[in-house]
Amino acid sequence: MSEVTRLIVVRHGNTFNSGDVILRVGSATDIPLTETGMRQAYAAGEMLAEMGIEPQMIFHAPLQRTCQSAVGIAASFPGAVLSEAEFLTELDYGMDDGKPEDDVVLRLGIAEKLSSMTVDTSLDDLRAAGKAALKRWDSEAVLPAAWHFLAARAGELESQWKEFADKVLAEYSGKTVIAVTSNGIARFSKAILPEGNLPEGSLKLATGAFGIYEFKDGAWGSTSWNVRPRL
């Protein structure tokens, strides 16, 4: 197993407790993990250790939630080195950053329906359109109309993930590297895969979940995605 080069992408743990108002948390909303979120981070490290996978490097975004998650994962791997990687920082969702998710869904729906809206368009119609836009974002990384200002950043992320994967191959061949990030960034890691070889199902990672890429036969492949550690 040690001869295989792996890149493991981990989403940070929970940042909200049950009953909290869920916010759209981007780079402008720097909040810490909850107690459950910290347990998720420890559990991710423990699960990887049980799988016989031992990372040599753990890269993470500089936000509190990703730093804390990296520390929790590293508890299972005393020899691993932690290092910040700026490109792993979550997207800035502009006016939606830090806003209640229900409000964001409605605003996204308004943008989606703007050209076809009539007097008969209901709030339920708008919310449905917003949820559909978010579903496309999660399954295909297609930006909702209201987030088209992120198009340039999305393009950069695809290039940055490819450069990062090249760095892993060049500097950590035959080893395992972990990248701890947020959901908006993790989905673009698909760019390292050969065209048409995407993870099955949604590109979204649940909080505390991870996906594993392995380099074999001259190409990266996705061996698992959205693996949720047991708590």
Side-chain angles (χ1 to χ4, degrees), residues 24 101-113 122-138 142-147:
R24 171 58 49 167
E101 191 70 5
D102 288 346
D103 294 351
V104 173
V105 167
L106 180 58
R107 200 180 85 79
L108 294 183
I110 292 171
E112 296 292 323
K113 302 283 286 185
S122 67
L123 288 177
D124 286 343
D125 292 333
L126 296 175
R127 292 190 181 97
K131 289 177 181 178
L134 285 176
K135 186 175 181 179
R136 289 191 296 274
W137 172 233
D138 288 336
V142 174
L143 285 164
W147 292 348

Side-chain angles (χ1 to χ4, degrees), residues 17-230:
N17 291 304
S18 178
D20 287 349
V21 174
I22 306 301
L23 307 179
R24 171 58 49 167
V25 181
S27 61
T29 309
D30 189 6
I31 57 179
L33 297 178
T34 62
E35 183 178 335
T36 297
M38 202 67 224
R39 289 205 309 271
Q40 288 174 316
Y42 285 117
E46 291 166 358
M47 186 173 185
L48 290 170
E50 289 171 2
M51 294 168 65
I53 296 174
E54 183 172 352
Q56 283 67 47
M57 286 292 300
I58 302 176
F59 292 94
H60 59 87
L63 298 172
Q64 291 183 76
R65 54 192 182 271
T66 40
C67 290
Q68 292 171 341
S69 294
V71 169
I73 294 167
S76 293
F77 309 106
V81 177
L82 276 66
S83 179
E84 285 190 2
E86 189 69 31
F87 93 95
L88 295 173
T89 304
E90 177 62 300
L91 300 170
D92 183 342
Y93 292 102
M95 66 183 298
D96 289 325
D97 212 309
K99 299 297 190 299
E101 191 70 5
D102 288 346
D103 294 351
V104 173
V105 167
L106 180 58
R107 200 180 85 79
L108 294 183
I110 292 171
E112 296 292 323
K113 302 283 286 185
L114 192 59
S115 62
S116 60
M117 201 179 302
T118 70
V119 293
D120 296 322
T121 303
S122 67
L123 288 177
D124 286 343
D125 292 333
L126 296 175
R127 292 190 181 97
K131 289 177 181 178
L134 285 176
K135 186 175 181 179
R136 289 191 296 274
W137 172 233
D138 288 336
S139 62
E140 304 171 50
V142 174
L143 285 164
W147 292 348
H148 276 177
F149 64 91
L150 289 171
R153 177 68 179 126
E156 289 175 353
L157 278 166
E158 292 189 350
S159 297
Q160 288 170 336
W161 273 113
K162 290 177 182 177
E163 292 170 2
F164 184 68
D166 287 344
K167 173 186 174 73
V168 170
L169 290 175
E171 300 180 16
Y172 306 100
S173 178
K175 302 182 186 302
T176 295
V177 170
I178 289 179
V180 185
T181 186
S182 302
N183 192 42
I185 305 301
R187 73 194 63 212
F188 289 100
S189 63
K190 68 179 178 62
I192 74 173
L193 297 173
E195 188 173 351
N197 185 22
L198 300 182
E200 293 184 3
S202 177
L203 296 175
K204 180 178 180 179
L205 286 177
T207 50
F210 60 84
I212 301 177
Y213 297 109
E214 292 185 353
F215 190 81
K216 293 180 180 178
D217 301 322
W220 287 100
S222 175
T223 63
S224 57
W225 191 254
N226 203 31
V227 180
R228 304 190 72 177
R230 304 175 299 277

